[in-house]
Amino acid sequence: MQVLRLILSPLAALVIGILFLGLSRKFMARIQWRYGPPLYQPLIDILRLFTQRSVSHGVVFDLGIILTLAASFVIVLFLPFGGLCPMSGSGGLLVVLYMMLLAPLGMALTAGESANPNSSIGISRWFILALGYEVPLLLVLLAVMTRYDTISLVEIVAAQRSHTSSIATFPLVLSGVAYLLIMPAVMGLRPFEVVQAPQEISSGPMAELGGRYLAMATVQHALSMFIGISLFVNLLWGGASNPLVFLLKMLVMFALVLWVNAAFPRLRIDQAIRFLWRWPTFVAFVGLLLVVVIGD
Amino acid sequence: MDRNQLIKWIEAPAKMAHKYSLHAVYFCTGCGIIEIPPAITARWDAERFGVLPAATPRHANLFLITGYVSLKTLRAIIRTYEQMPEPKYSVGFGSCPINGGMYWDSYNTIKHLDRYIPIDGWIAGCMPRPEAIFVAVTHLWTLIEKDMADGYKRYRVHYSEYRANQERILGALEWPPLFPKE
Amino acid sequence: MNLNILLMIAVGGSVVTYLLSSISERIRDAFAILVTLAVAVAVAMLYGRTSEVTLWAGFLGNPLLLRIGPISWLFAMTVSAIGCLSVVFSLKYMRGRERNGFYYAMLLLVQAAMLGVTLSGDLLSLFIFWEIMSWSTFLLISFNGGTALAAGMKYFVMSITGSLAMLVGVVFVLVSFNTLEISTVAFALSSAPPGYLWAVFLLFGLAFAVKSAIWPFHPWLPPAHSEAPSPFSAVLSGVLIKMGFFGLLVLMYVLIGRNDFLSLGWEVLPLHTILGVIGAVTILLPTFIALLQTDAKRLLAWSTVAQAGYIILGISFGTALGLAGGMLHFLSHATFKALLFMVAGAVEYRTGGIRDLNSLGGLIKRMPVTFAAALVGACGLIGVPLTNGFVSKWLIYKTLILEGSPFLAFVALIGTWGTILYSYKFLHNIFLGQLPQNLTSVEPAPFSMRVPMVVLMAVVVLFGVLPGIPLTVIDEIGVTLGFSALDVAPWGIVSESGVVNMLNISTAVVVSVLVAWLIFWAGKSGERVDQADSYAAGAAVPEGRYQYSMHFCDPLRRMVTPWLTDRVDAFYMGLTVWFTDVSDGLRRFYTGYVGHYVMYVVLFLSALIFVELLWSPW
């Protein structure tokens, strides 16, 4: 049973992540008054990429991309998906936090080994952007952890199911608002799409990735979108008792993020940091302060 | 368009994937590049067919040479084509790559592009309208289906001739010969 | 093995090494390794034993005692192990340099002194060995001369200030309690009024704080660690700082005692909270200052300052888990920081002295083992799971979050993110990217340099996967100091909430890597190309100009630099300038003209007579 859960959860994350990728392209197309590709288009892209024979720049080039995908899989194992959570007793939220910093590191090793300055610039932008959204994100996570006095995601979800969603309680509503403000940054969508920036730095860290490497990077992007939204739904929107309701909640959040993505241009990296360290940080900080002061 | 025929996906997934995921290197050669943005934006929507622009040659499998090819551009075209992963397809767009087109007597342009890189198909016109791009894409699908889009294989087999042509017109090239490698 | 025999071997080894260098280099090298290895093995064999030995009865009326217990054993083990590895590293590094006999002698003397500090049983021997340690490290820091001398002087002045405070403290203890033996003083202090506790804490704490380089006593560290010879930088960052923490531990939990220490201070802001806040400040600012550095060793030095903040945060928190986290972080930091300094030393050795991050690049192709060591060290520094840095940081975070200090936890976590940035900068600018033309013939690190690096790599990973090994020792220490015992299993701590199940996490990571590798293997492999075949917008790669290392993280740097002036350092430098000016002014009294001196005498006598006539105080 445990083995089945260990396989099912990452598989579901993979399927849903790729569905999100296709959904984003269809959604954006419809907003732009055109038809857009079918929903399964990312699958076709990934399949095509797997059959192309591209280049590799070294051992670290290969290892880095494996590491970043593995990090995303590990996070998925620790995230509750509806009632499904394979690794429920092993440290929960802190492991997720730690693994979220491994994904850019793996990609950074690959990009560094690419010997291409576009990749290096892209990675420096990725780290800076991550530092930008981590400040409010950490404040939000700490507020939730302090409010429920636990670091286990399963317990947080259970606490919300017995009372009410965190975002509907004061003062965690402030943390929820802060998370909503930084969600596009966590997922790498506009206005914070500064890492890839195809027109500026030739897709940044992925400039030298082709074939199976690009396919794995695409899969990793899909998983990171899944993780960003799933974290929000689990921590602040009550999780769900069965996977279908969870999926529905994720779709609602995803639609919200896509609307923002469609409406905004891309910010520069210093504009992005200035925004992320201003209002979302302030709101999240006030939220944490109130949680500590008000107590239980 | 047989994208929804599951049987074909099971029989030849690689071929079908290449047909319906043609990412073109966003390489802007000459005048013809002005026809690409309308093709990929809302009015003619090439993304329906899986055609998207790619930022670097490493991500792409389609190369559209969209206009006249000067000597400087030829250097970049050869480098870009060689950096694309295989299998890859190249399409000459407009009359200039076919036979020199409007610049048939210019000292600075290439008249027959397929002496320097292999071309899988041509689109005639000066400039062809975006609908012509779609016709070309559907023809390319047929070629891929019939295994006739083998420009990259020809490049590998006849590389010495291609390289000799390139060096004759461009002088010494800064990158070493691509084949034989392994 | 008797403790004073151990110490005599260590000190005697240093003297003999110096004498042997005039005979033969190779014999001296072999002897140095033999001595340090023997000391390390001897200390290892002392595990679990408590013994006390009188080094010298009746020095100025007080016996000098040596004692070993769990705390002493752990610190002594770290000192001797890292010392041995750095001597092995020095073999090739110092080969053929002038005065290297002096170098080896001092290196061994520093280790002997640190051993003495950890084994001391009374405050006077602690002071004596502390002083020996201070001036021998000064001599080694200024070994290269020039800017190294200035760095050494800065270190020396600050260290002396601390030592003087310690001397006053020793005298104070002697006068108040008439004894200097640590356990007797602890007993006497437990019934003393809080004023005594404050005096002891401030006086001794100043000395230990300067040595452990916590804010605001950190300015000596970056220049000292970057200008010292690299194997000694490894020892400096790895264990010298930890001597300060050893002292703080002994001060807080042995001398003052756990309960007294935790209740010291005011109701709303107890002392240990102040120490925690100091630790947080020490984490935050130096982490980002490290990001701005372009010198590889200076970056690592600022990183040491930041990591010291984690240690102080852990040990001053007052819970068993926090103490375990702080102590484990001390151990982990010793290993991976020594490893990283050895990497910087190896790169410096092979490239002919280049330390500037802006002129290196692509060395992974020439020095693969060094890169692997750097990668493991950086992963330990960041706290990647499966390394020992992860376990220690995890324990610290859990303590902070579960004990209700989310703001300190926030600072600690942001520190980790900053650590990722500068660790990646270190890795990328040295090993990744394009290999410049002038470095294409760099050879891999020599065997004698690779051995300590591989050993430290193995330790980092081993203690990460099986943290129970160091945690059993640390748990013993915690129990000795009066904390509750932790339930230690080989793979982690089974504690109240949230099982730190390293085995589970390790399994998850290994399985995920396997799955990712399977997906990777299913695709068509890529063919190897060299760095000249990189995307350059259709042109050939411009040789020598295609490496992005200058202004790495420039947007962040521009935003953050105005906030990161080291005001403490500016304050100290200003103080120094003021002192120099005042002394310069005072100097003018000595005109050299005897007539002026006679006038001074006459004036002083007349002033005395005036005072006597008016107020007649005598």
Side-chain angles (χ1 to χ4, degrees):
Chain A
M1 192 58 216
Q2 178 71 355
V3 175
L4 198 66
R5 263 195 252 150
L6 272 171
I7 302 177
L8 217 62
S9 188
L11 201 66
L14 212 60
V15 167
I16 293 174
I18 295 183
L19 176 73
F20 274 4
L21 279 180
L23 201 64
S24 76
R25 284 167 71 170
K26 191 74 168 175
F27 203 87
M28 295 292 292
R30 288 289 170 163
I31 290 178
Q32 292 167 0
W33 279 29
R34 52 187 179 93
Y35 282 100
L39 279 180
Y40 53 88
Q41 182 69 32
L43 270 176
I44 305 178
D45 289 337
I46 293 176
L47 190 57
R48 186 263 294 180
L49 286 170
F50 265 120
T51 60
Q52 278 196 301
R53 181 177 167 79
S54 181
V55 296
S56 158
H57 282 273
V59 175
V60 174
F61 193 79
D62 301 345
L63 284 179
I65 196 85
I66 295 179
L67 188 69
T68 188
L69 193 58
S72 299
F73 274 128
V74 172
I75 303 179
V76 166
L77 282 174
F78 282 89
L79 280 176
F81 179 70
L84 202 68
C85 185
M87 295 265 184
S88 42
S90 309
L93 205 48
L94 270 187
V95 175
V96 168
L97 245 166
Y98 250 103
M99 283 299 174
M100 277 175 77
L101 56 82
L102 262 198
L105 191 63
M107 191 60 111
L109 289 173
T110 300
E113 181 76 344
S114 301
N116 195 309
N118 293 311
S119 314
S120 307
I121 297 177
I123 281 296
S124 87
R125 285 192 191 185
W126 193 341
F127 279 141
I128 298 175
L129 183 69
L131 188 64
Y133 70 67
E134 279 289 332
V135 172
L137 183 65
L138 282 172
L139 289 168
V140 167
L141 290 179
L142 282 168
V144 174
M145 279 196 265
T146 314
R147 170 77 178 76
Y148 294 109
D149 202 24
T150 171
I151 58 171
S152 162
L153 273 164
V154 176
E155 284 182 31
I156 295 178
V157 171
Q160 291 181 74
R161 295 226 63 72
S162 48
H163 302 295
T164 166
S165 305
S166 308
I167 200 168
T169 65
F170 185 83
L172 281 180
V173 63
L174 292 172
S175 305
V177 165
Y179 199 129
L180 282 171
L181 286 174
I182 65 170
M183 186 108 86
V186 176
M187 296 175 53
L189 291 174
R190 289 199 288 271
F192 302 106
E193 199 205 5
V194 70
V195 173
Q196 299 213 347
Q199 292 90 333
E200 294 169 29
I201 49 173
S202 315
S203 58
M206 314 206 314
E208 278 289 306
L209 297 181
R212 61 179 174 174
Y213 305 95
L214 189 60
M216 289 176 73
T218 316
V219 169
Q220 195 271 333
H221 188 225
L223 283 178
S224 76
M225 289 210 286
F226 175 87
I227 288 166
I229 299 190
S230 161
L231 206 62
F232 177 82
V233 174
N234 273 319
L235 288 177
L236 290 157
W237 203 358
S241 46
N242 71 341
L244 278 163
V245 175
F246 194 84
L247 184 60
L248 215 66
K249 289 189 179 179
M250 287 182 79
L251 283 171
V252 169
M253 290 315 306
F254 191 56
L256 197 67
V257 174
L258 278 180
W259 264 315
V260 170
N261 182 43
F264 280 91
R266 187 184 298 144
L267 288 177
R268 285 199 320 262
I269 183 69
D270 52 322
Q271 290 172 330
I273 301 266
R274 232 171 279 141
F275 170 75
L276 290 168
W277 279 357
R278 197 173 286 166
W279 285 111
T281 306
F282 177 68
V283 172
F285 183 79
V286 170
L288 180 61
L289 200 62
L290 287 175
V291 165
V292 170
V293 162
I294 291 181
D296 205 356
Chain B
M1 185 155 117
D2 51 359
R3 184 164 57 191
N4 49 4
Q5 295 183 19
L6 198 55
I7 294 289
K8 294 215 171 151
W9 282 99
I10 299 175
E11 282 173 358
K15 215 186 282 188
M16 293 289 282
H18 274 281
K19 277 163 70 173
Y20 296 113
S21 167
L22 281 170
H23 287 198
V25 187
Y26 206 70
F27 188 103
C28 312
T29 309
C31 344
I33 199 60
I34 200 67
E35 302 292 342
I36 304 296
I40 59 183
T41 48
R43 182 154 178 162
W44 276 285
D45 195 17
E47 200 181 353
R48 286 179 285 173
F49 305 113
V51 174
L52 270 185
T56 53
R58 305 279 189 210
H59 303 179
N61 60 350
L62 175 64
F63 194 7
L64 290 170
I65 298 107
T66 49
Y68 65 88
V69 179
S70 63
L71 285 174
K72 227 195 239 183
T73 319
L74 181 64
R75 218 178 256 272
I77 285 178
I78 295 170
R79 183 73 168 147
T80 307
Y81 184 76
E82 288 184 350
Q83 281 189 337
M84 285 166 68
E86 295 182 357
K88 51 193 170 185
Y89 317 103
S90 48
V91 172
F93 193 77
S95 309
C96 291
I98 302 175
N99 53 13
M102 185 163 100
Y103 302 108
W104 60 275
D105 61 349
S106 162
Y107 61 90
N108 198 26
T109 57
I110 304 294
K111 312 301 183 296
H112 302 276
L113 186 57
D114 59 348
R115 289 189 190 147
Y116 307 99
I117 64 168
I119 304 285
D120 291 305
W122 306 100
I123 309 174
C126 188
M127 283 284 124
R129 285 182 60 85
E131 292 96 331
I133 299 182
F134 296 130
V135 173
V137 166
T138 44
H139 277 215
L140 192 58
W141 289 346
T142 319
L143 287 179
I144 297 176
E145 185 71 39
K146 295 188 189 160
D147 286 323
M148 284 167 58
D150 56 354
Y152 66 97
K153 292 182 191 156
R154 273 184 278 135
Y155 198 61
R156 190 182 278 264
V157 168
H158 300 289
Y159 185 70
S160 45
E161 284 99 20
Y162 279 112
R163 178 93 182 177
N165 281 346
Q166 292 164 7
E167 284 177 341
R168 186 184 319 122
I169 196 119
L170 290 173
L173 294 172
E174 294 111 340
W175 46 89
L178 201 57
F179 309 113
K181 222 178 228 184
E182 51 259 309
Chain C
M1 144 102 38
N2 234 340
L3 289 174
N4 49 4
I5 298 185
L6 180 65
L7 214 53
M8 273 190 263
I9 292 179
V11 175
S14 152
V15 175
V16 176
T17 309
Y18 187 64
L19 296 172
L20 274 180
S21 50
S22 46
I23 302 177
S24 152
E25 266 201 26
R26 292 203 178 263
I27 299 182
R28 176 210 54 218
D29 291 347
F31 181 75
I33 298 182
L34 218 62
V35 164
T36 43
L37 203 57
V39 167
V41 167
V43 172
M45 291 200 306
L46 283 169
Y47 173 56
R49 305 230 304 254
T50 42
S51 79
E52 184 178 316
V53 151
T54 309
L55 184 60
W56 188 340
F59 181 75
L60 303 178
N62 290 290
L64 293 180
L65 299 170
L66 292 178
R67 164 180 307 147
I68 189 156
I71 313 180
S72 305
W73 184 84
L74 184 65
F75 280 88
M77 191 70 234
T78 318
V79 166
S80 36
I82 304 256
C84 179
L85 290 172
S86 84
V87 170
V88 175
F89 190 83
S90 310
L91 291 178
K92 260 295 167 58
Y93 190 85
M94 299 299 291
R95 177 68 48 90
R97 287 227 209 161
E98 47 185 55
R99 298 194 305 141
N100 55 3
F102 179 70
Y103 170 84
Y104 278 104
M106 281 299 121
L107 194 59
L108 290 174
L109 186 63
V110 168
Q111 284 172 46
M114 290 199 278
L115 210 60
V117 167
T118 52
L119 292 177
S120 54
D122 72 304
L123 292 174
L124 190 57
S125 54
L126 181 73
F127 178 73
I128 293 175
F129 285 116
W130 190 265
E131 281 296 281
I132 299 178
M133 183 175 73
S134 297
W135 58 253
S136 47
T137 43
F138 161 65
L139 288 173
L140 266 183
I141 288 173
S142 356
F143 184 76
N144 290 328
T147 41
L149 186 61
M153 283 302 293
K154 196 170 182 178
Y155 160 71
F156 201 43
V157 169
M158 292 187 76
S159 189
I160 290 283
T161 319
S163 302
L164 283 176
M166 190 197 284
L167 186 61
V168 173
V170 166
V171 171
F172 172 75
V173 166
L174 186 62
V175 164
S176 324
F177 305 118
N178 228 355
T179 173
L180 284 176
E181 201 216 325
I182 289 185
S183 43
T184 328
V185 172
F187 184 67
L189 273 175
S190 60
S191 49
Y196 283 81
L197 297 176
W198 272 108
V200 166
F201 181 78
L202 285 174
L203 290 169
F204 282 96
L206 182 64
F208 300 136
V210 169
K211 193 64 77 179
S212 53
I214 53 183
W215 190 92
F217 305 112
H218 65 277
W220 65 266
L221 198 147
H225 287 213
S226 45
E227 302 298 332
S230 293
F232 188 61
S233 297
V235 169
L236 273 178
S237 264
V239 276
L240 189 76
I241 314 292
K242 313 307 188 295
M243 289 299 110
F245 287 114
F246 170 75
L248 279 171
L249 263 180
V250 165
L251 177 68
M252 295 194 296
Y253 295 121
V254 174
L255 280 179
I256 298 185
R258 177 172 166 261
N259 296 321
D260 288 332
F261 172 69
L262 290 177
S263 52
L264 204 60
W266 302 272
E267 183 63 49
V268 76
L269 196 65
L271 179 62
H272 67 100
T273 310
I274 299 181
L275 280 179
V277 172
I278 289 181
V281 176
T282 314
I283 295 175
L284 196 58
L285 295 173
T287 304
F288 289 101
I289 297 180
L291 185 58
L292 307 177
Q293 303 302 316
T294 53
D295 179 352
K297 285 172 67 172
R298 197 165 276 244
L299 187 149
L300 292 175
W302 276 109
S303 159
T304 304
V305 179
Q307 299 299 312
Y310 278 100
I311 304 178
I312 198 85
L313 200 55
I315 60 180
S316 64
F317 207 72
T319 61
L321 209 62
L323 182 73
M327 298 278 308
L328 192 60
H329 199 69
F330 130 75
L331 192 62
S332 321
H333 182 250
T335 50
F336 55 67
K337 194 43 70 69
L339 183 58
L340 285 172
F341 266 111
M342 285 182 185
V343 164
V347 168
E348 185 189 352
Y349 177 71
R350 278 306 194 199
T351 57
I354 302 183
R355 265 165 36 192
D356 180 20
L357 286 173
N358 288 337
S359 25
L360 295 167
L363 280 176
I364 183 176
K365 302 177 181 82
R366 305 298 311 170
M367 304 173 85
V369 175
T370 316
F371 170 73
L375 188 60
V376 171
C379 286
L381 183 56
I382 297 171
V384 165
L386 295 186
T387 60
N388 52 8
F390 170 62
V391 184
S392 52
K393 284 202 175 160
W394 169 282
L395 290 174
I396 296 177
Y397 292 150
K398 246 186 66 172
T399 320
L400 291 173
I401 294 174
L402 291 178
E403 301 289 333
S405 311
F407 291 104
L408 291 179
F410 169 70
V411 171
L413 286 163
I414 286 295
T416 302
W417 261 103
T419 310
I420 297 182
L421 264 99
Y422 68 68
S423 309
Y424 183 68
K425 177 174 179 173
F426 180 79
L427 272 179
H428 175 265
N429 284 13
I430 298 182
F431 293 104
L432 300 174
Q434 297 239 334
L435 186 64
Q437 198 63 9
N438 57 331
L439 296 179
T440 42
S441 51
V442 164
E443 291 162 23
F447 178 72
S448 69
M449 283 192 186
R450 272 184 267 160
V451 164
M453 291 201 277
V454 168
V455 167
L456 284 172
M457 272 167 71
V459 168
V460 168
V461 174
L462 180 70
F463 284 178
V465 174
L466 293 175
I469 302 175
L471 277 175
T472 15
V473 182
I474 293 175
D475 190 32
E476 257 182 67
I477 297 179
V479 168
T480 325
L481 294 177
F483 288 89
S484 50
L486 298 166
D487 193 357
V488 174
W491 51 81
I493 294 185
V494 180
S495 62
E496 335 77 43
S497 46
V499 176
V500 178
N501 203 337
M502 287 300 136
L503 204 62
N504 235 0
I505 298 175
S506 313
T507 324
V509 170
V510 168
V511 166
S512 303
V513 169
L514 237 69
V515 168
W517 186 80
L518 274 171
I519 298 178
F520 180 73
W521 181 76
K524 264 207 185 149
S525 65
E527 56 183 279
R528 271 303 288 272
V529 294
D530 64 46
Q531 67 186 32
D533 189 2
S534 199
Y535 172 66
V541 165
E543 193 70 45
R545 283 176 290 144
Y546 219 49
Q547 161 82 330
Y548 174 67
S549 36
M550 280 218 215
H551 307 302
F552 200 84
C553 291
D554 206 33
L556 186 65
R557 195 180 57 87
R558 269 182 272 130
M559 281 184 66
V560 163
T561 311
W563 300 84
L564 284 183
T565 46
D566 191 356
R567 297 203 174 82
V568 175
D569 192 25
F571 171 71
Y572 288 144
M573 287 291 121
L575 206 61
T576 320
V577 168
W578 181 77
F579 258 120
T580 321
D581 287 343
V582 164
S583 318
D584 207 45
L586 279 179
R587 182 184 59 78
R588 290 172 206 281
F589 279 113
Y590 295 87
T591 55
Y593 176 46
V594 181
H596 285 153
Y597 298 156
V598 172
M599 179 180 72
Y600 295 154
V601 169
V602 168
L603 278 176
F604 185 64
L605 280 176
S606 38
L608 282 179
I609 296 170
F610 182 71
V611 166
E612 171 67 27
L613 285 179
L614 225 54
W615 296 289
S616 45
W618 296 292

